[in-house]
Amino acid sequence: MPGIDRTALTAIVEEAGDIALKGFREGEEVERWHKAPDQPLTASDIAVDNFLRTALRDLDPKMGWLSEESQAVPETAKSAGTWIVDPIDGTRDFMRGRSGWALSVAYCVGGQPQLAALYAPARQEMWFAEAGNGAMLNGTSISASRHTELQGARVPTTQLSNIDQQLAMVEKPNSIALRMAMVANDQADLVATLRWGHAWDVAAALLIAREAGALCTDALGQNMDFSDSDAPIFGILCSARNIHGAALKHLESRARNVLEQQPIGRSAASLQRHQADTNKSKI
């Protein structure tokens, strides 16, 4: 990872966090709009994105770039690796004056995150991970939940369905990355979603959770790969290692129903291949 280390990355992300905090403190005075139905956006998202794009690519101009708020650099520019960024994950909490949002930055090589910084400035939380070297929160090593049964598993949510009553509710930040980080820090045991997402939603949190000892896949149990910037991700299942299989089985019928109703424009043959590959790799 030439030219990239923890000090350089965290300094850049902290400066970007200061930009975000300024808008957060200004509240409703910050310009806001919807880029698509049910997809809120603020001027702070754009300001953070612009800063990170310049500062991170200055570390090595050959690196690729993939962000929720700006276009990707062409594939031919990615030989040195790719920055995958969500400038403000959890924009709804940001807009509501709540602390459950974060800046998510991952450096990926070969489709897998190698460095990750997840910064929640309103909570004064800096999460960091390096592949093979563990995960930290504010400079202290963290270990993931070791919960052993689905019964009583802590889930960040505001409501449990009838079929999930054996689970336990804990605080739910709007940021999916922060929810995954909660599993990494033994503040939750299970995070699951059944909707289509993108690499920038989870790349940084994926490495943090994995390095802390959690098990993270898509909602069908398939390992995530970010080599194809256009490839969507179906759901997240991030949990204590010992309950991942039980959680996968618990969610299976619901996941299949969602896939049948929302194949995200894939051809039937493509979807069948995806599901066949997923069945082979289930945990």
Side-chain angles (χ1 to χ4, degrees):
M1 292 175 284
I4 306 171
D5 61 21
R6 175 189 170 192
T7 301
L9 179 56
T10 55
I12 288 170
V13 175
E14 284 174 350
E15 188 169 351
D18 289 341
I19 295 171
L21 269 180
K22 181 178 182 297
F24 181 66
R25 290 165 179 157
E26 290 173 358
E28 294 185 0
E29 295 178 11
V30 173
E31 185 181 1
R32 56 189 67 192
W33 60 94
H34 280 76
K35 57 187 176 183
D38 201 37
Q39 292 187 31
L41 186 67
T42 73
S44 293
D45 291 83
I46 302 303
V48 172
D49 188 75
N50 289 339
F51 172 81
L52 286 173
R53 179 167 181 148
T54 298
L56 291 173
R57 297 201 66 223
D58 279 349
L59 293 177
D60 188 337
K62 297 188 296 295
M63 292 182 194
W65 172 264
L66 177 63
S67 166
E68 182 174 12
E69 311 304 348
S70 55
Q71 293 184 351
V73 170
E75 296 292 326
T76 53
K78 296 184 179 180
S79 58
T82 303
W83 291 110
I84 299 182
V85 172
D86 192 342
I88 298 180
D89 180 44
T91 298
R92 287 181 179 82
D93 269 9
F94 180 90
M95 293 169 62
R96 295 166 181 160
R98 299 173 183 171
S99 65
W101 55 275
L103 289 68
S104 178
V105 176
Y107 169 65
C108 295
V109 178
Q112 293 299 314
Q114 303 299 312
L115 285 175
L118 181 68
Y119 184 36
R123 297 179 173 220
Q124 298 183 322
E125 294 175 350
M126 173 66 80
W127 310 76
F128 181 86
E130 182 175 0
N133 287 316
M136 296 181 291
L137 170 59
N138 293 339
T140 300
S141 295
I142 56 174
S143 296
S145 162
R146 296 183 180 179
H147 197 72
T148 58
E149 297 180 357
L150 195 59
Q151 178 76 30
R154 298 164 296 170
V155 180
T157 187
T158 56
Q159 185 177 6
L160 291 171
S161 65
N162 289 337
I163 57 176
D164 292 327
Q165 291 300 308
Q166 78 271 39
L167 305 175
M169 294 189 296
V170 293
E171 175 206 7
K172 178 191 174 184
N174 185 226
S175 164
I176 182 64
L178 281 180
R179 281 176 258 162
M180 294 170 67
M182 290 173 67
V183 176
N185 195 37
D186 197 15
Q187 296 171 308
D189 306 305
L190 170 65
V191 172
T193 68
L194 296 176
R195 61 178 181 272
W196 289 101
H198 300 275
W200 53 73
D201 296 316
V202 297
L206 175 68
L207 182 62
I208 292 165
R210 282 179 176 172
E211 286 296 316
L215 190 53
C216 298
T217 66
D218 70 11
L220 296 175
Q222 191 171 40
N223 288 330
M224 286 177 276
D225 183 279
F226 308 127
S227 300
D228 182 356
S229 62
D230 294 325
I233 298 165
F234 179 63
I236 298 296
L237 181 53
C238 176
S239 73
R241 301 188 72 87
N242 289 331
I243 67 171
H244 193 274
L248 191 64
K249 184 176 181 180
H250 182 66
L251 292 168
E252 184 174 22
S253 62
R254 281 178 279 180
R256 295 293 179 182
N257 288 338
V258 173
L259 272 180
E260 289 174 3
Q261 297 171 20
Q262 300 176 13
I264 204 166
R266 298 184 182 192
S267 68
S270 175
L271 183 57
Q272 287 171 1
R273 285 195 299 271
H274 170 77
Q275 292 176 332
D277 290 343
T278 296
N279 287 336
K280 293 176 185 177
S281 62
K282 275 190 177 181
I283 297 167

